[in-house]
């Protein structure tokens, strides 16, 4: 904190101008004279040689195809394993259906919760590209172990013979399996929060054309996820059904290794954001400084109260621009309240923080209610790899006299929906809505998320109706698997709106130093949803009579899965109303004091605050 300070008043921008900040405009004019050439990016990104990235030779759609292709290959591998895992645990490892569903939910939950670890390492120390490559190696090691598990007879129970099956897997066999799954979960946790942010980094938001392309990238990135899922749950699931578990795991393993090669091939075209240090350390400094100053009697008395900011073009956060002041969470402003004693000597950030540092934490806190009010959707999403697959496994999956659809391929109904809807949405719906709303994306990211949450309620209601009809059929196992189309189709539609809306929202509302952490936040919802699904299954099962008399029994035909789907529909309906309240009261980070946007704030300050990020009010 040895940099000279720039003081500015607490609330009123007009007062700020009256308080003698003309020298700020002068500094800005000098900076303008030293502005970077037009062919260089203005967002702090560098190329692989450490130079400021050139727009003509790096980033944009020159770099994005490598990232999108990598996502297709990685998602293909993950979905090929995840949708098959319940069957593998029940058929090969001899686990009960409730136990297998619980273990798979816990595993998927851990994979997405670990995104917080990967995001922390990317933002703080490694950078996004190096984090992706490093954790891909861990992921590949887990896939190799899974292939060995299926290949070596001593690592799994023997096959069933003469209607008799060996006992459950031994402790050593189970430990080997769980270690493989743990490595895959850890690898996923490192990769997932970085890939979408790394792709968005390839577009300079200060360039209007590139800023518009960034939102198209989010849609095509989601398209890539579903393309990988489609290939994984069709071709690879069919390969596993025809050739066995060894091929079913070996091919995804090779695909995962291929994804690493594809990503590395584009290294010369990428734009790289330098790590900006630990955001959690900066958050803790703000809390400590605010509490310390509060206990020492510091007060924000009026609009002429001055707060501390570094007197440099960029903030003290490595490579990050300054952020405009916002009036929310005013208690945290005490962390930047400068006393007379602090003017006389260098001050530790544990006593005095900059406005930018305080605003970074405010941006993080601001999105927490939105994050919390979309977790219930993840419980519905968890059904894709658990009960939806279990339903398909006991239904009529014949498609013609000589072909049977693998149970793990049933989520294709949702993936096809996403593959069709994304191009249609981008090509036709966005321009149509833009002409009527005036919003550059047709509808805001918050509106898009809300639409997805509403559709998820319909998906669970459809699932309940279909399951009740199937269970009451004279031959429940003879009902066609195509009866599951409505619930899968609606869940696919809900995912298109919610997931892409979350990609846009959490990237836009994050600061430069918290982009990976912000992406990990919404991805962690999938993990929390999986764990909540596990807990809910146990609670509901226990409350309704256990495995003997309850809603979840060893046989799905004897269970009451339709009741459980109605419970999920009710939970998500209530959650949707909560989300509407949160979304309607949300204030974007791009709305400064007095309700003006960052563009207006910057103009009124003579351009001193270099606010990066979307001007979308979400």
């Amino acid at each position: 904190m040895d940099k000279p300070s720039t003081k500015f008043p607490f609330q009123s921008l007009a007062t700020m101008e009256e308080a003698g900040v003309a020298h700020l405009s002068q500094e800005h004019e000098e900076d303008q004279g030293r502005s970077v050439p037009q062919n260089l990016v203005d967002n702090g990104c560098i190329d692989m040689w450490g130079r400021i990235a050139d727009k003509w030779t790096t980033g944009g759609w020159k770099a994005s195809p490598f990232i999108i292709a990598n996502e297709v290959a990685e998602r293909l591998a993950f979905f090929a394993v995840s949708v098959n895992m319940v069957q593998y645990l029940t058929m090969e490892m001899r686990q009960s259906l409730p136990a297998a569903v619980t273990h798979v939910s816990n595993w998927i939950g851990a994979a997405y919760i670990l995104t917080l670890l990967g995001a922390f390492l990317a933002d703080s120390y490694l950078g996004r590209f190096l984090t992706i490559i490093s954790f891909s190696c861990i992921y590949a090691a887990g896939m190799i172990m899974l292939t060995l598990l299926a290949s070596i007879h001593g690592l799994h129970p023997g096959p069933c013979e003469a209607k008799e099956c060996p006992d459950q897997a031994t402790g050593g066999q189970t430990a080997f399996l769980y270690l493989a799954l743990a490595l895959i979960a850890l690898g996923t946790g490192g990769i997932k929060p970085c890939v979408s942010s790394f792709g968005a980094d390839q577009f300079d938001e200060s360039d209007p054309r590139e800023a518009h392309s960034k939102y198209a990238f989010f849609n095509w990135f989601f398209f890539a996820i579903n393309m990988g899922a489609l290939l994984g749950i069709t071709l690879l699931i069919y390969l596993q059904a025809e050739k066995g578990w060894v091929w079913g795991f070996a091919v995804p393993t090779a695909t995962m290794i291929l994804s690493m090669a594809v990503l590395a091939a584009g290294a010369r075209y990428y734009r790289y954001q330098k790590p900006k240090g630990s955001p959690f350390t900066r958050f803790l400094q703000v809390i400590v400084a605010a509490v310390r100053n509060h206990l020492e009697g510091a007060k924000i008395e009026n609009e002429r109260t001055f707060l501390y900011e570094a007197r440099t073009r960029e903030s003290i956060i490595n490579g990050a621009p300054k952020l405009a002041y916002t009036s929310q969470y005013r208690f945290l402003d005490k962390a930047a309240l400068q006393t007379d004693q602090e003017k006389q000597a260098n001050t530790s950030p544990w006593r005095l923080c900059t406005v930018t540092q305080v605003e970074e934490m405010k941006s993080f806190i601001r999105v927490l209610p939105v994050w919390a009010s979309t977790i219930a959707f993840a419980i519905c999403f968890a059904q894709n790899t658990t009960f939806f697959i279990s339903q398909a496994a006991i239904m009529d999956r014949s498609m013609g006299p000589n072909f049977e659809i693998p149970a793990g391929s049933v989520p294709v109904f949702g993936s096809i929906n996403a593959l069709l809807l994304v191009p249609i949405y981008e090509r036709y719906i966005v321009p149509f809505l833009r002409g009527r709303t005036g919003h550059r994306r047709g509808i805001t990211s918050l509106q898009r998320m809300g639409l997805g949450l509403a559709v998820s309620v319909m998906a669970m209601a459809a699932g309940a109706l279909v399951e009740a009809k199937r269970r009451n059929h004279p031959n429940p196992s003879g009902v066609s698997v195509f009866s599951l189309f409505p619930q899968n189709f609606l869940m696919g539609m809900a995912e298109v709106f919610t997931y892409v809306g979350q990609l846009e929202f959490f990237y836009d509302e994050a600061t430069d130093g918290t982009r990976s952490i912000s992406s990990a936040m919404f991805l962690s919802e999938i993990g929390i949803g999986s764990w909540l699904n596990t807990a809910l299954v146990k609670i509901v099962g226990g409350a309704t009579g256990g495995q003997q008399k309850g809603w979840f029994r060893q046989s799905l035909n004897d269970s009451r899965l339709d009741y459980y789907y109605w419970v999920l529909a009710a939970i998500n309906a209530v959650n949707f109303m909560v989300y509407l309240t949160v979304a309607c009261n949300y204030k974007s980070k791009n709305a400064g004091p007095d309700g003006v946007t960052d563009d207006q704030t910057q103009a009124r300050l003579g351009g001193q605050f270099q606010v990066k990020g979307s001007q979308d009010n979400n």
Side-chain angles (χ1 to χ4, degrees), residues 12-93:
S12 170
L13 293 175
T15 305
M16 181 185 303
E17 293 165 3
E18 296 169 4
V21 292
H23 64 285
L24 297 182
S25 296
Q26 181 179 354
E27 285 182 359
H28 176 66
E29 290 172 3
E30 293 172 358
D31 285 335
Q32 288 291 81
R34 298 190 298 268
S35 61
V36 296
Q38 290 185 346
N39 65 305
L40 300 182
V41 299
D42 195 35
N43 60 0
C45 284
I46 58 176
D47 60 21
M48 65 180 299
W49 294 279
R51 303 171 303 200
I52 298 178
D54 190 320
K55 294 181 184 180
W56 297 342
T57 59
T58 66
W61 293 111
K62 292 181 289 294
S64 299
F66 294 96
I67 299 171
I68 291 174
N70 165 266
E71 184 67 8
V72 171
E74 188 275 326
R75 288 290 86 186
L76 185 153
F78 185 82
F79 278 96
V81 173
S82 62
V83 299
N84 255 337
M85 193 48 59
V86 169
Q87 283 187 285
Y88 186 78
L89 294 180
T90 54
M91 296 170 59
E92 298 296 316
M93 306 302 284

Side-chain angles (χ1 to χ4, degrees), residues 158-342:
C160 296
E161 296 180 357
K163 297 184 180 180
E164 294 184 1
C165 292
D167 294 333
Q168 289 186 354
T170 65
Q173 292 170 339
T174 302
F176 191 88
L177 168 67
Y178 288 167
L179 178 58
L181 293 178
L183 291 176
I184 295 173
L186 181 59
T188 300
I191 296 170
K192 285 300 293 176
C194 301
V195 177
S196 61
S197 295
F198 185 56
D201 288 344
Q202 307 310 309
F203 301 92
D204 187 355
E205 294 169 342
S206 64
D207 184 321
R209 289 177 298 178
E210 291 199 10
H212 177 75
S213 296
K214 183 189 73 174
Y215 294 98
F217 166 80
F218 283 137
N219 275 320
W220 289 111
F221 181 80
F222 182 71
F223 182 90
I225 292 174
N226 282 277
M227 178 59 74
L230 179 65
L231 295 175
I233 62 183
T234 53
L235 296 181
L236 293 191
I237 296 299
Y238 179 75
L239 180 67
Q240 179 273 314
E242 293 295 314
K243 299 292 185 180
W245 292 104
V246 176
W247 280 93
F249 291 145
V251 174
T253 300
T255 303
M256 182 60 214
I257 296 172
L258 175 63
S259 74
M260 297 166 58
V262 170
L263 186 68
R268 62 180 294 185
Y269 301 106
Y270 298 143
R271 299 173 187 172
Y272 304 87
Q273 284 276 6
K274 292 180 289 186
K276 293 176 173 56
S278 170
F280 293 120
T281 300
R282 297 194 294 271
F283 294 164
L284 186 59
Q285 288 172 343
V286 171
I287 294 172
V288 170
V291 172
R292 186 197 301 271
N293 291 340
H294 175 76
L295 294 177
E296 291 178 354
K299 294 183 179 179
I300 307 292
E301 295 180 349
N302 53 51
E303 69 274 8
R304 290 182 179 272
T305 302
F306 286 97
L307 303 178
Y308 172 83
E309 181 57 274
R311 195 177 177 183
T312 54
R313 187 182 184 198
E314 291 192 340
S315 70
I316 63 170
I317 301 172
N318 181 31
K322 293 179 181 177
L323 301 176
Y325 171 78
T326 59
S327 59
Q328 280 183 294
Y329 314 119
R330 293 186 178 182
F331 176 82
L332 297 177
D333 293 330
K334 293 184 179 182
L337 185 62
Q338 189 168 344
T339 65
D340 291 337
Q341 291 78 11
E342 290 163 345

